[in-house]
Amino acid sequence: MEDLELIAFKIISGVGAARSSYIEAIQAAKAGDYDRAEKLIAQGDESFVEGHDAHTGLLTREASEGQGSSVTLLILHAEDQLMSAEAFKIIAQEFIAAHKRIDQLEAKLK
């Protein structure tokens, strides 16, 4: 496997795991388990950093070589997955906050 492909798979693997954790965090919040939701966000952040670091390494390597590397469909997919995971984190945080607010309002009505 070429070096570029390995980096792409590191990005996809890291941010894919992060996105899964963020989605699971929403599900935990929906069930009212906010401690678990927070832990899943933190777990997702750790996975995201792995993918992001691989991406940053790729950018750094390209900048230090002074020329662009070939852009492949696999690298485009990796970047798409990175952006998707980042968006899922924002959405997850918003859903968690919304579920907390709903639970607080429902508790006041009882």
Side-chain angles (χ1 to χ4, degrees), residues 18-37:
R19 187 177 59 233
S20 294
S21 292
Y22 299 147
I23 292 168
E24 198 174 335
I26 293 170
Q27 294 166 344
K30 185 177 178 181
D33 191 348
Y34 299 109
D35 288 336
R36 179 161 167 69

Side-chain angles (χ1 to χ4, degrees), residues 1-11 54 57-58 61-62 65 69-70 72 74-75:
M1 184 177 299
E2 291 183 26
D3 185 44
L4 194 59
E5 289 175 334
L6 184 58
I7 293 169
F9 283 120
K10 284 182 182 178
I11 295 168
L58 184 62
R61 185 175 83 178
E62 184 173 306
E65 292 175 0
S69 59
S70 60
T72 65
L74 188 59
I75 289 296

Side-chain angles (χ1 to χ4, degrees), residues 66-88:
Q67 60 185 10
S69 59
S70 60
V71 177
T72 65
L73 187 57
L74 188 59
I75 289 296
L76 290 175
H77 177 64
E79 293 219 343
D80 180 55
Q81 294 302 301
L82 185 130
M83 292 184 304
S84 172
E86 195 168 18
F88 265 96

Side-chain angles (χ1 to χ4, degrees), residues 3 12 25 29 37 44 46 58 68 73 77-78 80 95 100 106-107 109:
D3 185 44
I12 293 166
E46 289 176 18
L58 184 62
L73 187 57
H77 177 64
D80 180 55
F95 270 106
K100 282 182 181 179
E106 285 180 345
L109 293 175

